[in-house]
Amino acid sequence: MSSGMEVSDEALVLQSIRLRYSQKEIYTYSGIVLIATNPFARVDSLYVPGMVQVYAGKQRSSQAPHLFAIAEEAFA
């Protein structure tokens, strides 16, 4: 049996994902998980060489959600 709190939490997560998708923000976090809201969208600026430097040596929470933040955390 599920509680109303679980449904509310799911609605908030979906609302957050929907908002980031509408803002063309491809990545978002859900706890420790990185979610790609639209992995097929072409956003060339996400993977330029300089973007690596934005995340190098930084904590995941100090920058916008990105695959490079996850990589930095994994290898730190």
Side-chain angles (χ1 to χ4, degrees):
M1 184 155 120
S2 69
S3 69
M5 184 61 136
E6 292 171 3
V7 173
S8 177
D9 290 345
E10 289 173 10
L12 289 173
V13 169
L14 289 174
Q15 179 182 4
S16 175
I17 292 170
R18 199 174 293 120
L19 175 64
R20 294 199 50 92
Y21 177 83
S22 70
Q23 295 173 338
K24 297 191 188 306
E25 295 288 337
I26 300 302
Y27 293 121
T28 190
Y29 294 123
S30 180
I32 63 170
V33 176
L34 178 68
I35 297 172
T37 60
N38 186 356
F40 301 108
R42 185 174 177 110
V43 183
D44 294 328
S45 63
L46 281 177
Y47 306 108
V48 295
M51 188 61 74
V52 174
Q53 298 308 315
V54 171
Y55 292 89
K58 306 240 175 50
Q59 290 186 349
R60 184 178 80 147
S61 61
S62 71
Q63 301 296 325
H66 197 285
L67 186 61
F68 293 158
I70 299 298
E72 179 64 29
E73 188 174 66
F75 290 101

